[in-house]
Amino acid sequence: MGGDGGSIPGRTDLVRTSGYTFARNLGGMGYSPNTQMRAADEHMSSSEIKELRWQTCSLTQAPLSLPIVACRLGLLYNKEAVIKYILAKKAVVSMQHTKNLKDFKDVKFMVDPSTKRFICPLTRTEFGATNRGILIWKCGCCVSEKAFKELIKHKVSQRTTFCPNCNEEFTYHPQFFEGPSHIADPLSHDLVLLVPDSSEEGYLRAKLITKVKTTKAAAA
């Protein structure tokens, strides 16, 4: 780790830096370029946190790279990291809302070849803090919230429609965009809001953890 570009980090080095990320890639604001620190230690705005979550694995904090999966909370993960976590069979507090690989969905992201960012296949706009993405759990397609609202604006009372990207039929709850607290069972339909804010995530996490515990108790 001599900084000469030719050394390879050992296991001790990797363990020591686990949970850290390069919170700032540019200098300034009292930080040198590529300052390594715990992301949670630096005060970040809600929009900054969302932007970070669109780019990093929620389990390992490593940069997202295809293939990518999402959980019912709407958090994004590198699929390889999730598989390793499941095989390791070691409990992680942040993953208590999941039981196995069935609790994750492969996300069919469209990637902008020039920016390498995920984009909506309908509007060609980048997903981010100001352009929320909707995952259709049934098929794995992801479209922008704005595009989806346009799709269903004349179907307020319906509960089924077709994916605007692949045409597969799926179910949705008419009150989905009013917030997760308006839907008693988050698994009763096929829509998942990707990269939720803290209040949305907290509500859904409590619901899903309760379901996991209930399922385990019933199987015991």
Side-chain angles (χ1 to χ4, degrees), residues 1-9:
M1 302 291 285
D4 58 1
S7 57
I8 300 175

Side-chain angles (χ1 to χ4, degrees), residues 70-194:
C71 66
R72 280 284 185 169
L73 291 179
L75 303 181
L76 301 173
Y77 311 83
N78 287 325
K79 187 172 184 178
E80 182 180 1
V82 169
I83 292 174
K84 287 182 178 179
Y85 158 72
I86 292 173
L87 292 177
K89 296 182 179 180
K90 293 183 179 180
V92 174
V93 174
S94 64
M95 303 295 281
Q96 288 180 326
H97 62 292
T98 64
K99 302 188 302 296
N100 49 51
L101 199 56
K102 292 181 180 179
D103 294 317
F104 299 88
K105 185 69 179 182
D106 287 280
V107 185
K108 300 175 184 176
F109 274 128
M110 175 175 282
V111 181
D112 186 312
S114 59
T115 64
K116 307 303 180 185
R117 295 291 299 271
F118 306 130
I119 61 175
C120 172
L122 306 180
T123 64
R124 295 299 196 274
T125 53
E126 289 185 1
F127 292 120
T130 58
N131 187 33
R132 290 151 68 101
I134 301 293
L135 169 66
I136 302 174
W137 193 268
K138 184 75 173 293
C139 59
C141 293
C142 182
V143 300
S144 72
E145 181 181 27
K146 294 177 182 178
F148 193 88
K149 284 183 176 180
E150 184 67 22
L151 171 70
I152 65 170
K153 69 178 182 180
H154 299 305
K155 305 176 182 179
V156 179
S157 61
Q158 294 184 23
R159 289 180 176 271
T160 62
T161 190
F162 297 90
C163 173
N165 188 50
C166 72
N167 207 40
E168 183 166 348
E169 187 176 27
F170 66 91
T171 61
Y172 69 94
H173 198 291
Q175 293 179 300
F176 176 76
F177 292 107
E178 295 179 26
S181 61
H182 289 81
I183 303 175
D185 183 2
L187 304 183
S188 63
H189 63 104
D190 291 314
L191 297 187
V192 176
L193 179 64
L194 295 181

Side-chain angles (χ1 to χ4, degrees), residues 185-216:
D185 183 2
L187 304 183
S188 63
H189 63 104
D190 291 314
L191 297 187
V192 176
L193 179 64
L194 295 181
V195 189
D197 60 35
S198 58
S199 60
E200 292 167 336
E201 180 185 341
Y203 179 85
L204 288 172
R205 185 179 290 277
K207 284 281 188 180
L208 292 175
I209 289 177
T210 298
K211 274 188 166 293
V212 169
K213 290 181 178 179
T214 301
T215 301
K216 287 183 177 179

Side-chain angles (χ1 to χ4, degrees), residues 46-74:
S46 176
S47 61
E48 288 175 326
I49 291 174
K50 284 186 177 181
E51 287 294 342
L52 187 63
R53 283 185 159 188
W54 272 107
Q55 301 173 49
T56 56
C57 171
S58 290
L59 178 60
T60 65
Q61 285 73 59
L64 285 172
S65 60
L66 300 176
I68 294 169
V69 296
C71 66
R72 280 284 185 169
L73 291 179

Side-chain angles (χ1 to χ4, degrees), residues 14-21 36-40 59-61:
L14 294 175
V15 171
R16 186 182 299 123
T17 57
S18 177
Y20 285 77
T21 182
Q36 189 180 53
M37 61 187 296
R38 284 192 183 276
L59 178 60
T60 65
Q61 285 73 59

